[in-house]
Amino acid sequence: MTKNDGMSPEVQRMIQEAQAMMTDELMEETLRSQVAVDPSHLASLLDLVAIGITNGAWRNSCIENWHAEGRLSDGDMMRINSYTTDAIRRRLKGWCVESGITSASSTALASADVEDVDVLAGRLFRWLANAERRLPTGMTLGELARSQEDLEEYEDHADRVLGGFAGQMQDRGVRFGLLRTACHGALACSQWWAHPTWPDRVERFIRVLDDATNAHWGTDGERREKLGAEPPSVQDRDILRATLLVNPWKLDPTAAEWIVDAGIGYLRPETGATSD
């Protein structure tokens, strides 16, 4: 995987200067103050790292263009993003165990070396770019890409992002790289599954579904009326809550689309709550 992606020396210098201003302490404080996450807790940190990698190496790529073209619906994107986040998180945890990082504290990441980092980045790239990898929508990545040219465009993107991911860890240390990626996931994807605010979002969404007068539905509830009838799998609130909390990629397509249209990602904060 490439590290600098053909960037000019001037651009590389500017990036290096910006990175030099970032410290472990600054990013730790960001996680504490912005998302109430203890950065010393390894499992919590890896949740956000998985979100950050998914957003950078998957969602913010030509995948978003394919979504805009209609190859994927909004519900598809929600299911695939959560599925990808879960798969990357499991691979991160497996990598930690293989690298001898068995402590619950993220300070143990200091024991990982450059070779460990290369193994991780290579493993993530091979999984993400595998044309035969089946998405929760039923199609493979190759089928979604539709052409070798489009598939290679995605491969190039994933290569660049994961090359940069590995590069920053090689330059500044594994914990620094993971903290930086975690901050990206925490700040850029606050509406995602596995984010520490997701359980509260789900609970608020369930409450809003049963409150037709909630401001979320508009002044006269017109937004709710436009949605139409709830799909059967949405009507059972206990099952819906459990699925959203544990594995939203298992939602059926109709339910996933309805939930996104219902605005789960755009819930208004409740009185005294932090704004999304």
Side-chain angles (χ1 to χ4, degrees):
M1 291 181 292
T2 58
K3 179 179 175 180
N4 293 323
D5 188 32
M7 291 184 292
S8 69
E10 177 64 16
V11 171
Q12 292 178 36
R13 181 187 64 77
M14 293 173 62
I15 292 175
Q16 290 168 357
E17 289 179 354
Q19 289 179 338
M21 298 174 63
M22 302 174 71
T23 64
D24 286 20
E25 292 75 20
L26 176 62
M27 292 184 289
E28 288 171 355
E29 180 55 30
T30 297
L31 293 175
R32 290 192 189 96
S33 62
Q34 297 298 316
V35 291
V37 163
D38 180 357
S40 69
H41 188 252
L42 182 59
S44 298
L45 185 65
L46 293 182
D47 285 350
L48 291 172
V49 171
I51 293 174
I53 293 174
T54 300
N55 191 49
W58 172 257
R59 195 262 185 198
N60 286 347
S61 69
C62 54
I63 302 299
E64 183 58 28
N65 296 332
W66 299 349
H67 172 213
E69 293 170 4
R71 302 189 199 184
L72 295 169
S73 70
D74 291 342
D76 291 337
M77 288 293 282
M78 181 181 74
R79 289 195 294 153
I80 295 173
N81 288 345
S82 60
Y83 168 80
T84 306
T85 299
D86 177 67
I88 289 178
R89 182 175 62 173
R90 286 188 283 106
R91 284 162 175 78
L92 286 168
K93 290 180 178 179
W95 171 79
C96 283
V97 173
E98 291 174 14
S99 300
I101 303 169
T102 57
S103 169
S105 173
S106 65
T107 58
L109 293 168
S111 65
D113 57 26
V114 173
E115 288 74 19
D116 294 327
V117 169
D118 287 340
V119 167
L120 172 61
R123 182 173 298 169
L124 294 177
F125 174 78
R126 287 190 296 275
W127 183 78
L128 281 167
N130 180 6
E132 300 304 315
R133 178 167 64 88
R134 194 162 296 280
L135 307 173
T137 57
M139 70 178 71
T140 64
L141 174 61
E143 290 168 340
L144 173 63
R146 297 184 180 177
S147 71
Q148 185 62 31
E149 180 180 5
D150 281 2
L151 180 61
E152 290 174 357
E153 180 182 3
Y154 173 69
E155 290 174 346
D156 289 344
H157 174 87
D159 180 66
R160 289 194 300 271
V161 170
L162 291 169
F165 171 72
Q168 68 183 357
M169 289 195 286
Q170 292 166 358
D171 293 341
R172 300 287 298 275
V174 173
R175 192 163 184 270
F176 173 90
L178 294 181
L179 280 168
R180 186 181 179 206
T181 304
C183 284
H184 167 72
L187 301 179
C189 307
S190 63
Q191 302 168 342
W192 281 34
W193 175 81
H195 193 277
T197 60
W198 180 254
D200 176 67
R201 181 179 296 276
V202 170
E203 293 304 324
R204 285 190 287 139
F205 183 66
I206 297 296
R207 289 196 296 271
V208 163
L209 288 180
D210 294 320
D211 181 5
T213 64
N214 191 283
H216 176 72
W217 303 118
T219 306
D220 300 314
E222 67 276 6
R223 184 176 183 182
R224 180 61 190 265
E225 291 181 5
K226 291 179 180 178
L227 281 172
E230 296 179 0
S233 56
V234 173
Q235 294 172 14
D236 189 319
R237 301 291 193 250
D238 290 337
I239 293 178
L240 175 62
R241 177 186 288 106
T243 304
L244 286 172
L245 288 174
V246 179
N247 44 21
W249 56 90
K250 292 188 177 181
L251 289 165
D252 64 78
T254 301
E257 201 66 28
W258 194 94
I259 289 166
V260 173
D261 288 345
I264 190 172
Y266 299 96
L267 288 169
R268 297 182 181 183
E270 297 175 338
T271 303
T274 300
S275 177
D276 289 327

